[in-house]
Amino acid sequence: MHTLSRSLRRGIALMASRPIYLFMMVVVPVATAFFFLNLMNEGLPLKVPVAMVDTDHSALSRKMGRSLDASPLTDITMELEDYHQAVNKVRSGEIFGFFYIPSGFQEDALSGRTPTLSFYSNMSIFVPGTLAYKGFKTIAVTTSSGIVQTTLAGVGLGDQATQSLVMPLAMDYHLLGNPCSNYNIYLSQSFLAAMMALVAMVMTVFSIGYEIKWSTSPAWLDTAGGSMAVALAGKLLPQTFLLSGVGVAIQAVMFCWLGFPLNCPPLTMIMAMILLVTASQAFGVIVMEALPNLRLGLITVSLVGILSFSIAGFSFPVDKMYGGIAIFSFIMPIRYYFLIYIDQALNGIPLYYSRFYFIALLIFLLLPLIGLKRLRGKCLHPVYVP
């Protein structure tokens, strides 16, 4: 306990004497949280700028234009005269799509000649392009149904009969976990947790690699009584408390202030955040045991941390990835935190069914024991390779 106390005092003093520690562990996560939560504040991007190309200029086409502009997904920012002008506006990035109504549309529609409605969306920018497409398709389907209903009423069918023919099935759908389709609830929680994991790995590697680079690692070990485990505990525990505190504070903002779903006891997600931070630190220790070099260690954990945003399953299902890529998602701590969040906070299933994810995070804490002897040897005889 005496050597641990000395090692802790040394770790706290070093952390307090270098602004980079507080900047990376407090300023960066808080600034990132503010950025994401403010960016996704509306929950779903709305009113995507689009254009209307109306070459029919009929009562029906004007009604479609008003409906499209009233849609929560699209905003008609300009009315253009022809197809080529609209395509140029899409290519310049001024709009994300356009709705094209051909000449003679109303006449053909009411006479039963099946006119063609065209709509174009820029799918190279996926989210606004998809929202524009969804808004266009909704208006097209609604207009088609309205024309059919008008035609049937014209031949003498009553309102109830036409309604049953146009829409023979009543839809009753339920969105589970995220009933308001709020991107903020799903993405911000995942991305901010991944950012916390990345910061924990980077600072762990930096803390250990800095000692080796400047040949202060023998003194660091001496403070810990020659024990590598005590030395790591003294250096990393202050960072664990600080990072966990910042992570729990960000969780409190999301769950308490912004009203993110929390269908489990708050302690469950607090424990998940603490385990994520400690497991990420353990991952950083593993990297330094394998590559006891500051530059190589930082490159490795930065690469792993950045890739975790893509292959941990936030935005693309792991089971649909190529097998060789999907394997890497299971060696990242953030993957298990993400699954805990889905099961517990969003779905509220019994904790028993998430036990393996908690166990996986705990296993990360034991893995550094394998390479402690190697890391101790490198710390006792530091050789810095630039």
Side-chain angles (χ1 to χ4, degrees):
M1 292 302 296
H2 177 65
T3 54
L4 177 60
S5 176
R6 285 195 305 164
S7 188
L8 282 170
R9 287 197 300 269
R10 186 180 186 277
I12 293 172
L14 185 62
M15 190 172 68
S17 64
R18 295 192 169 274
I20 188 172
Y21 283 93
L22 294 179
F23 177 80
M24 287 295 297
M25 292 190 289
V26 178
V27 176
V28 169
V30 170
T32 304
F34 177 81
F35 172 78
F36 271 109
L37 296 176
N38 186 60
L39 177 69
M40 306 293 291
N41 185 46
E42 293 184 358
L44 181 71
L46 300 174
K47 288 296 182 182
V48 175
V50 297
M52 185 83 169
V53 181
D54 183 5
T55 60
D56 187 40
H57 300 292
S58 61
L60 181 58
S61 66
R62 287 191 292 271
K63 181 180 178 181
M64 292 175 64
R66 289 193 297 269
S67 298
L68 187 63
D69 196 36
S71 168
L73 299 178
T74 55
D75 178 25
I76 299 179
T77 57
M78 55 183 72
E79 296 185 8
L80 305 175
E81 298 298 326
D82 56 57
Y83 167 84
H84 297 289
Q85 186 181 8
V87 169
N88 289 333
K89 294 293 184 181
V90 171
R91 289 173 177 169
S92 67
E94 296 180 54
I95 56 175
F96 293 97
F98 61 93
F99 199 85
Y100 183 86
I101 302 178
S103 59
F105 171 76
Q106 177 174 289
E107 182 181 350
D108 292 343
L110 297 180
S111 60
R113 288 197 288 267
T114 316
T116 300
L117 272 177
S118 303
F119 44 89
Y120 304 80
S121 56
N122 183 7
M123 298 304 291
S124 62
I125 307 177
F126 187 72
V127 172
T130 302
L131 293 175
Y133 171 78
K134 184 178 179 181
F136 292 154
K137 187 176 181 180
T138 300
I139 297 301
V141 171
T142 303
T143 302
S144 176
S145 300
I147 292 173
V148 171
Q149 193 168 1
T150 301
T151 303
L152 293 175
V155 298
L157 289 178
D159 291 340
Q160 185 174 357
T162 57
Q163 182 67 27
S164 63
L165 289 173
V166 171
M167 187 175 291
L169 297 175
M171 301 295 180
D172 183 20
Y173 61 93
H174 304 272
L175 302 177
L176 301 178
N178 188 2
C180 52
S181 299
N182 190 326
Y183 281 19
N184 202 10
I185 289 174
Y186 185 79
L187 292 179
S188 292
Q189 176 68 248
S190 306
F191 286 164
L192 292 177
M195 175 58 65
M196 294 302 300
L198 174 59
V199 170
M201 288 188 290
V202 168
M203 294 313 299
T204 298
V205 169
F206 176 79
S207 301
I208 300 172
Y210 184 87
E211 300 276 9
I212 297 175
K213 176 180 178 179
W214 296 106
S215 299
T216 58
S217 52
W220 172 38
L221 271 176
D222 183 65
T223 304
S227 171
M228 193 71 246
V230 173
L232 287 173
K235 181 173 289 293
L236 298 182
L237 278 178
Q239 299 180 26
T240 302
F241 282 108
L242 185 57
L243 283 170
S244 298
V246 172
V248 171
I250 293 174
Q251 284 183 331
V253 170
M254 291 187 286
F255 292 130
C256 300
W257 186 19
L258 299 180
F260 283 23
L262 183 61
N263 298 310
C264 65
L267 184 60
T268 301
M269 292 309 301
I270 292 173
M271 289 302 301
M273 174 58 69
I274 295 173
L275 284 175
L276 172 66
V277 171
T278 52
S280 300
Q281 290 177 310
F283 191 95
V285 174
I286 295 169
V287 169
M288 288 306 293
E289 289 173 347
L291 301 169
N293 177 277
L294 180 60
R295 177 175 56 85
L296 294 178
L298 288 175
I299 290 173
T300 301
V301 295
S302 298
L303 178 62
V304 170
I306 294 300
L307 286 178
S308 68
F309 286 85
S310 303
I311 64 176
F314 303 155
S315 54
F316 192 83
V318 170
D319 58 351
K320 299 299 181 182
M321 298 178 185
Y322 292 111
I325 298 297
I327 291 173
F328 288 100
S329 66
F330 293 99
I331 65 173
M332 298 179 178
I334 185 60
R335 170 67 180 165
Y336 302 101
Y337 176 88
F338 173 65
L339 294 173
I340 291 170
Y341 172 67
I342 296 296
D343 283 355
Q344 298 300 311
L346 292 187
N347 295 330
I349 67 175
L351 185 61
Y352 173 81
Y353 296 102
S354 299
R355 65 192 185 280
F356 291 117
Y357 307 142
F358 284 97
I359 292 172
L361 290 174
L362 288 171
I363 289 174
F364 276 99
L365 305 184
L366 301 177
L367 292 178
L369 297 176
I370 299 173
L372 280 183
K373 185 177 180 180
R374 170 179 165 81
L375 182 59
R376 183 176 184 276
K378 295 295 182 180
C379 289
L380 284 174
H381 308 285
V383 178
Y384 176 67
V385 180

